[in-house]
Amino acid sequence: IVLQWQTANLTEKQFEPVWKEMIADFEKANPGVKIEPVLVARKDHWTKFVTSAQARRAPCLVSVDLATAAHNGYLLPLDAYWKAEPEAWRKAWADEVMKAAQWQGKLYGLPIWGGIYAELYNRDLVVAAGLDPAKPPITWDDYLVWAKALTKSGQWATAILGGKTDTTTRVLLTWIYSNGGDVFNADMTEATFAKNPKSLEAIKTYLGLARDGLAAPAPTTTNYLEQTQMFAQGKIATMRNANWAVAKAEEDNPALKGKLIVAPSPSKVAHSPTLATVTSTSIGAGCAHPEAAWKFIKFEADAKWSIKRAKISNWMPIRNDLANEPDIKNDPILSTFLKIGENAKPYPIPLPIWADVAAGDIVDAVQKALLAPDSIETVFRDLDARITRKLKEQ
């Protein structure tokens, strides 16, 4: 039996040692079953999956936008497998976490790990700018003061993400949430990027960092990899990113190890939430060996690999029985991220159209606004209208 496994994270260096060891151990424990990793760039991940799913040739094991994929019939319901497991094992996942893997009352994946977005600072650059690393910015005004101090010839405070992946959308949402805004109305029938004044203000403030020269050049081609590389090279002093970026930055520049500051993203309103991703592993609808695939998913979710992902790849544990594990509890960076994540909105947003909207419509709007800064409100009003039409048509 050969099970293909596709997730955008297989191409990231900090995860490579973990997934290679995990596959080797699984194959040793399960003779006759081979795991074949599908290595695909993040920007091509969703398109490749959809193309193969439509041809009924999707990998058996996938981590994708669950609601969209389930709505389109690309995933296999897993309720029978889940309910057959011992109750003690199932209790390791909180009910709220499991909701992130459900669509219309059915289970389509098992939550494996998560990512909590926060602000990361290069301590050396902070000190060199005469700033106090023990007092990172709390408000937007504080952040702008730091941004100006951290910008000089050949160095910028941060990077705006405008590249063609949904990471552009994730970071944009953190700014909107930090101002008490939202991108949909209460019943999710209308998009409110521009209609909600707080959301529009956040968008203008964030994209305005480029206009004011506080963000690195070429934002429309800046994705997660470019952002972390610039951070590792000392070209930007701070980045809005999830916990896995710590391992990525230290892999690119080992001299950064022990020199990173993790803090809540600056906000304009009290108790604003951050964004937290929940990544589940699902089984493709056309999988010929779903029992073997479920066996791998359980193996991947084991506490051993959850801890290794946390320590080596900096991916947050999603099981609720691991928070007090010594390897996690005694790590100040992991502990800080987990504390920040106690107040977070889950991602992706549970809409069937979300994958295309997040990596397509929203990114297009960000790019247009970056190229024509005076048109931000018009661009995002057009975005509201376009997404709202799609919501009505879905």
Side-chain angles (χ1 to χ4, degrees):
I1 296 175
V2 177
L3 303 176
Q4 287 191 321
W5 180 27
Q6 180 184 330
T7 165
N9 307 100
L10 291 176
T11 58
E12 296 174 3
K13 288 183 179 179
Q14 73 267 29
F15 185 39
E16 185 176 350
V18 179
W19 69 254
K20 285 187 173 180
E21 182 185 359
M22 184 165 58
I23 287 177
D25 282 12
F26 177 80
E27 291 178 346
K28 184 178 180 180
N30 297 273
V33 182
K34 297 293 183 183
I35 305 298
E36 180 183 296
V38 178
L39 305 181
V40 56
R42 180 177 294 274
K43 64 183 180 65
D44 301 321
H45 174 55
W46 175 251
T47 302
K48 181 175 177 63
F49 168 73
V50 170
T51 301
S52 60
Q54 289 176 342
R56 306 294 291 178
R57 298 174 64 88
C60 273
L61 298 157
V62 292
S63 293
V64 291
D65 182 350
L66 188 142
T68 307
H71 172 78
N72 286 292
Y74 299 153
L75 302 179
L76 183 74
L78 303 180
D79 300 86
Y81 297 105
W82 171 255
K83 292 176 182 177
E85 298 298 331
E87 183 179 2
W89 182 78
R90 288 186 280 127
K91 283 185 176 179
W93 285 265
D95 290 342
E96 286 300 313
V97 171
M98 292 305 297
K99 288 179 182 178
Q102 296 173 348
W103 170 247
Q104 293 188 333
K106 293 184 178 181
L107 183 69
Y108 285 95
L110 183 66
I112 301 295
W113 54 273
I116 296 165
Y117 277 72
E119 205 71 34
L120 299 175
Y121 300 89
N122 181 322
R123 180 184 295 272
D124 286 349
L125 297 185
V126 167
V127 172
L131 302 168
D132 186 351
K135 297 179 180 179
I138 296 174
T139 68
W140 281 7
D141 288 341
D142 296 339
Y143 183 78
L144 289 174
V145 170
W146 273 46
K148 292 173 182 177
L150 291 167
T151 301
K152 61 182 184 180
S153 179
Q155 176 186 305
W156 296 269
T158 192
I160 288 175
L161 273 73
K164 199 67 175 179
T165 75
D166 79 323
T167 304
T168 288
T169 297
R170 298 184 198 185
V171 177
L172 182 69
L173 291 179
T174 67
W175 277 86
I176 290 172
Y177 296 159
S178 74
N179 197 34
D182 212 334
V183 295
F184 292 105
N185 61 355
D187 60 2
M188 300 184 77
T189 58
E190 182 182 17
T192 58
F193 285 84
K195 186 174 183 178
N196 184 318
K198 291 183 177 181
S199 299
L200 183 60
E201 181 186 20
I203 294 167
K204 288 181 176 180
T205 301
Y206 172 48
L207 300 185
L209 296 173
R211 177 200 61 218
D212 297 338
L214 301 174
T220 57
T221 58
T222 300
N223 294 298
Y224 165 80
L225 291 178
E226 290 79 9
Q227 178 199 36
T228 53
Q229 287 166 357
M230 285 191 286
F231 185 84
Q233 294 164 357
K235 292 181 179 179
I236 60 174
T238 175
M239 62 177 173
R240 182 76 54 87
N241 216 318
N243 38 276
W244 50 70
V246 173
K248 177 66 171 63
E250 292 177 350
E251 172 74 22
D252 290 342
N253 181 6
L256 282 176
K257 194 169 183 64
K259 296 183 178 181
L260 299 186
I261 302 168
V262 180
S265 300
S267 64
K268 198 175 180 183
V269 297
H271 309 298
S272 64
T274 187
L275 177 144
T277 64
V278 175
T279 297
S280 301
T281 299
S282 303
I283 299 178
C287 180
H289 305 285
E291 292 81 10
W294 176 251
K295 185 177 290 188
F296 178 78
I297 290 174
K298 288 198 301 177
F299 190 85
E300 182 189 14
D302 188 78
K304 171 183 176 180
W305 304 110
S306 295
I307 294 171
K308 279 183 175 287
R309 278 188 295 268
K311 294 296 294 181
I312 298 173
S313 306
N314 248 299
W315 295 354
M316 290 293 106
I318 210 73
R319 293 174 52 149
N320 60 13
D321 58 347
L322 301 179
N324 291 320
E325 288 286 337
D327 282 339
I328 293 173
K329 189 176 182 180
N330 297 330
D331 187 313
I333 287 183
L334 286 176
S335 298
T336 300
F337 268 114
L338 287 172
K339 182 67 177 177
I340 293 170
E342 289 177 357
N343 182 23
K345 289 192 175 186
Y347 184 94
I349 294 174
L351 287 169
I353 63 170
W354 182 249
D356 290 331
V357 166
D361 298 294
I362 298 172
V363 176
D364 290 342
V366 170
Q367 292 182 343
K368 288 177 183 177
L370 286 168
L371 295 172
D374 293 336
S375 68
I376 290 178
E377 184 168 353
T378 299
V379 167
F380 281 90
R381 287 198 182 281
D382 289 344
L383 176 66
D384 281 345
R386 186 161 61 253
I387 295 176
T388 299
R389 283 197 301 271
K390 290 187 175 184
L391 288 170
K392 292 177 179 178
E393 293 168 356
Q394 70 177 350

